[in-house]
Amino acid sequence: MSTLKRNILSIAVAAVAILAVSPCAYADKPADTSTRKERNHIRAGNKHYEEKHYADAEVEYRKALEENAMSEKAMYNLALSLLRQAGNADPNNENNPMAEAQSLLTDLAKTACDDAISEKAFYNLGNMAFNQQQYDQAIGMYKGALRKNPDNDKARENLRLAQLKKQEQEQQQQDQDQNKDQDKQDQNKDQNKDQNKDQNKDQNKDQNKDQDKDQDKNNQDQDKQKQDQQKPQQPQQQQGGISDANAAKILKTMENEENATRRKVQEMQKKEAQGGRRVTGPQW
């Protein structure tokens, strides 16, 4: 049995052994007056509790509360009997006895006239929170018990243990957060790596596409060159050559000049021929 469980058991046994009820009274709260029937039911409940008949103990403590609804002792012992029946179940479950036990102990810790009952209520609430790994709440409850009784060594021991557990819990949470951040960074790296792969792939595709285009263009140029080589060669014209219309006009002009020159030559020849055949008159 762990130290924490032994502490819970020792407090529970000590609690049921106390039968006296504080005569404390508040201005807005009637006096907590004990009756003989109430005490008899508490004694019967304690006997069942010591015999570990916790359900029977619960019945007797509830009967004691029927006799005196303000009995802090009956409330506290009822809470302990419920805790024994609940075990380590979730106190947030409405059907679990621990939920009622927690409610009773919380009220007693805050409002009990008897400091001993208030102290034990704080202590057991601390144990409940500790078992649920709610270390912040456990620390607060153990401190509450120590305020009621600074000599409660068990509360001090459990307080230190809860503080250590809180540190471990915070360290684990920090490690988990760091692991999450690292996983996120790794995921980002993988995503960037995939993006780079996709970009390189696209670039390669574009390059291959451009190469294919260039190759097609080269093939087309080569085909055109082959076709040009196969065509009959035409005489090359000098750069700045005349048009067909201008050429025809020039030829016409040259022909007219040649005709004019030919006529002049013919006229000259004709005159020369006439001069050679001229006859003189009769001689007298």
Side-chain angles (χ1 to χ4, degrees):
M1 183 181 296
S2 65
T3 302
L4 186 60
K5 291 183 178 179
R6 286 199 300 270
N7 289 345
I8 295 174
L9 180 59
S10 62
I11 290 296
V13 173
V16 296
I18 302 173
L19 295 179
V21 179
S22 172
C24 173
Y26 296 97
D28 59 346
K29 181 178 178 181
D32 185 1
T33 303
S34 176
T35 65
R36 186 172 65 180
K37 288 184 178 181
E38 170 203 342
R39 291 193 295 271
N40 289 337
H41 286 303
I42 290 176
R43 289 191 185 95
N46 291 347
K47 186 175 183 299
H48 288 304
Y49 189 96
E50 292 172 358
E51 294 173 353
K52 299 182 180 180
H53 301 156
Y54 302 119
D56 294 333
E58 175 191 351
V59 172
E60 293 297 332
Y61 295 140
R62 291 189 185 279
K63 289 180 180 180
L65 287 172
E66 291 176 1
E67 296 295 331
N68 180 11
M70 303 304 298
S71 174
E72 294 176 352
K73 186 59 183 177
M75 291 180 191
Y76 179 74
N77 290 353
L78 173 60
L80 295 182
S81 66
L82 291 171
L83 283 176
R84 291 298 187 181
Q85 295 179 74
N88 294 323
D90 184 2
N92 297 321
N93 189 340
E94 295 180 356
N95 297 325
N96 193 295
M98 188 178 288
E100 184 181 359
Q102 188 174 31
S103 178
L104 289 169
L105 291 173
T106 300
D107 291 339
L108 289 170
K110 295 178 180 179
T111 64
C113 297
D114 191 336
D115 285 343
I117 291 178
S118 179
E119 170 200 351
K120 294 175 177 63
F122 272 118
Y123 181 82
N124 281 281
L125 286 170
N127 291 340
M128 293 171 65
F130 188 97
N131 290 334
Q132 296 297 322
Q133 297 183 356
Q134 299 171 353
Y135 301 118
D136 281 334
Q137 185 176 350
I139 290 171
M141 293 302 171
Y142 291 137
K143 288 181 177 179
L146 288 170
R147 282 192 292 268
K148 294 294 182 178
N149 179 15
D151 296 330
N152 190 336
D153 293 334
K154 293 176 181 178
R156 185 173 290 102
E157 179 183 350
N158 289 351
L159 171 61
R160 180 56 180 163
L161 182 60
Q163 290 171 338
L164 293 174
K165 287 293 186 181
K166 179 184 176 182
Q167 292 177 358
E168 292 178 3
Q169 190 179 58
E170 290 175 347
Q171 184 62 44
Q172 290 176 356
Q173 184 63 40
Q174 184 178 358
D175 293 341
Q176 290 177 358
D177 293 340
Q178 290 178 350
N179 291 334
K180 287 181 180 179
D181 293 338
Q182 185 62 41
D183 292 340
K184 187 175 181 180
Q185 291 177 0
D186 293 339
Q187 290 177 357
N188 291 334
K189 287 182 180 179
D190 293 338
Q191 290 177 355
N192 292 332
K193 187 175 181 180
D194 293 338
Q195 290 176 355
N196 291 333
K197 286 183 178 179
D198 294 337
Q199 290 177 354
N200 292 333
K201 187 176 181 180
D202 294 337
Q203 290 176 355
N204 292 333
K205 286 182 178 179
D206 294 336
Q207 291 177 354
N208 293 333
K209 187 175 180 179
D210 293 336
Q211 291 176 356
D212 293 339
K213 288 182 178 179
D214 294 338
Q215 185 64 37
D216 292 339
K217 185 176 181 181
N218 292 333
N219 293 335
Q220 291 176 358
D221 293 340
Q222 291 177 358
D223 293 340
K224 186 175 181 181
Q225 290 178 357
K226 290 180 179 179
Q227 292 176 359
D228 292 339
Q229 291 175 356
Q230 293 175 357
K231 289 181 179 180
Q233 294 183 352
Q234 299 292 335
Q236 296 181 352
Q237 295 182 355
Q238 294 182 350
Q239 188 175 0
I242 61 177
S243 63
D244 293 340
N246 290 334
K249 186 176 180 180
I250 291 171
L251 291 175
K252 183 66 175 176
T253 301
M254 292 176 63
E255 183 178 356
N256 293 335
E257 291 179 352
E258 184 178 354
N259 292 332
T261 302
R262 184 179 299 110
R263 284 194 299 271
K264 287 180 180 181
V265 171
Q266 290 176 354
E267 289 178 357
M268 290 177 65
Q269 291 175 351
K270 184 176 179 181
K271 287 180 179 181
E272 290 178 354
Q274 291 177 355
R277 294 192 300 269
R278 181 174 295 173
V279 180
T280 61
Q283 297 177 357
W284 303 102

